[in-house]
Amino acid sequence: MQIPAFPAVTCGIIVFFVGAFLTRRVPFLRDYNIPEPVAGGLMAALVTWVYFLVSGTQITFDLIVRDQLLVIFFATLGLNARFSDLLAGGRLLGILLALTVIFILIQNAVGFLGTSLFGLPASVSVLVGSASLIGGHGTAIAWGPTITSVSGFAAAEEIGIAAATLGLVAAALIGGPLAKYLIERDKLEASDNDTLIVGLPDEDPGPGEPDIDHIELMRAILAAHVAVLLGYLANQWISDLGLTLPLFVPCMLVAIVMANTIPYLFPTLPWPGGTRALAVVSDYCLSVFLAMSLMSMQLWTLAGLGGPLVGILILQVVAAMVFILFVVYRFTGADYTAAVLSAGFAGFSLGATPTAIANMSSVTKHHGPAPLALIILPLVSAFFVDLVNAMVIQFFAGL
């Protein structure tokens, strides 16, 4: 049974509110920065699993609107970016990129160890390594047939998709607790000069906080839509040059250019960057995207792939946590931004970039803003990771 596009979005909004209810009633979810759409999405995925077990009917969702929300979300991130911040974070971006490359190698080494322990073909290691975890469902699906052909292992594709699913769940659950541990251990605090760029603080606004009116909200939505429209054109031009990038990348880059030119060319024109209205639009797009992503997980596909897969994924989660605590946090500055980046690194190293952003957003709503972390991590995960990952996958798969 497939739920059409519009009802699927409605379900995503309902799932978000379920998650919001849970995070406000369950102290663990609230205190350890578990994002609302994660809590609600996992609950919905469990419900559809139970329904499948009882009725034998699969519930699937038309996710076309979900993917459009992701593009708009990244446009809103770009609208908040300032060249001065990006230049200041250039060194940090380079460090994060280098750490990501190192971890891709570690992730596949752990995958190779796991396949050796459980008697699986060596080439399958990438499907319980970076192809499915850092790469996500798309990369796992793309490499599955190749690995099946090379290894002769018929279940390779299913293992890749299952590993990506379990990795996504783990990524959504460990990022917030890791950041909370680092913030409390080192008594870290956010800068008073920064503002949230995704969502609003958890606490009630103070008397000096401006209200959001409908004009500001519509202005923020219009700016994001213009960035997406120009991003579509830029993406077509990039494709004509023979390059392939996720659509959200050119949309975010166009938005960054807009944010750093329009306010100076037209100083009297109200600009939504840094406003509470744009933060709300960002939060809506990300929350519904993530809620829809998690509620659409088909957990019944994991049945029968249990033992070895779960064992390898536990090794991967432990490796990620150790690497984040002892390497990522230290080399990105061991400050508040580094703690937020640690939550994000957990999100995309085991799951996907939106999970990373959701982890960081949940932390910043609770503890304070870290806008640089929210800008540079998507640049690393979108621009560089796929290229490096493809080369490493080929090496470990023996291609």
Side-chain angles (χ1 to χ4, degrees), residues 110 114 118 120 128 159 162-163 166-167 170 302-318:
V110 172
F118 291 102
L120 298 174
V128 288
I159 282 182
L166 288 176
L302 304 180
L305 296 174
L309 180 62
V310 171
I312 296 172
L313 262 294
I314 290 173
L315 291 176
Q316 292 287 15
V317 171
V318 171

Side-chain angles (χ1 to χ4, degrees), residues 143-161:
W143 281 94
T146 301
I147 302 304
T148 299
S149 176
V150 170
S151 65
F153 188 64
E157 294 182 54
E158 289 79 5
I159 282 182
I161 295 171

Side-chain angles (χ1 to χ4, degrees), residues 197-265:
I197 62 175
V198 180
L200 302 180
D202 285 342
E203 66 271 10
D204 294 331
E209 292 288 352
D211 293 330
I212 301 174
D213 63 35
H214 66 289
I215 296 297
E216 288 181 335
L217 197 60
M218 293 300 292
R219 184 183 295 123
I221 294 172
L222 175 61
H225 276 246
V226 170
V228 170
L229 287 173
L230 295 176
Y232 269 103
L233 297 177
N235 190 57
Q236 183 60 54
W237 178 72
I238 292 170
S239 298
D240 291 341
L241 294 177
L243 301 175
T244 301
L245 290 174
L247 176 60
F248 71 79
V249 175
C251 291
M252 183 170 68
L253 293 177
V254 166
I256 291 174
V257 173
M258 289 172 57
N260 289 274
T261 55
I262 293 177
Y264 302 100
L265 295 174

Side-chain angles (χ1 to χ4, degrees), residues 3 16 47 62-63 96 98 139 163 171 197 233 244 268 352 359 373 382:
I3 309 299
F16 167 79
V47 169
D62 185 335
L63 300 177
L96 189 63
T139 306
I197 62 175
L233 297 177
T244 301
T268 61
N359 284 350

Side-chain angles (χ1 to χ4, degrees), residues 360-379:
M360 293 191 292
S361 173
S362 183
V363 173
T364 56
K365 288 178 188 177
H366 194 71
H367 296 282
L372 185 59
L374 288 159
I375 295 296
I376 67 169
L377 187 140
L379 292 176

Side-chain angles (χ1 to χ4, degrees), residues 12 15-23 28-29 32-46 165-177 283 286-297 299 347 352 354-362 365:
V15 164
F16 167 79
F17 276 105
V18 170
F21 174 82
L22 291 173
T23 55
F28 171 83
L29 298 176
Y32 285 89
N33 307 307
I34 305 301
E36 294 103 331
V38 170
L42 291 177
M43 179 64 69
L46 290 172
T165 301
L166 288 176
L168 185 66
V169 173
L173 294 178
I174 70 170
D283 206 12
L286 179 62
S287 295
V288 177
F289 171 88
L290 198 56
M292 294 179 70
S293 297
L294 290 169
M295 76 184 190
S296 62
M297 290 191 303
L299 296 179
T355 312
I357 300 294
N359 284 350
M360 293 191 292
S361 173
S362 183
K365 288 178 188 177

Side-chain angles (χ1 to χ4, degrees), residues 13 18 22 24 30 70 76 82 169 184 289 293 333 336:
I13 297 172
V18 170
L22 291 173
R24 283 157 177 75
R30 179 181 64 251
L70 180 66
T76 64
R82 295 173 296 185
V169 173
E184 293 183 349
F289 171 88
S293 297
Y336 178 73

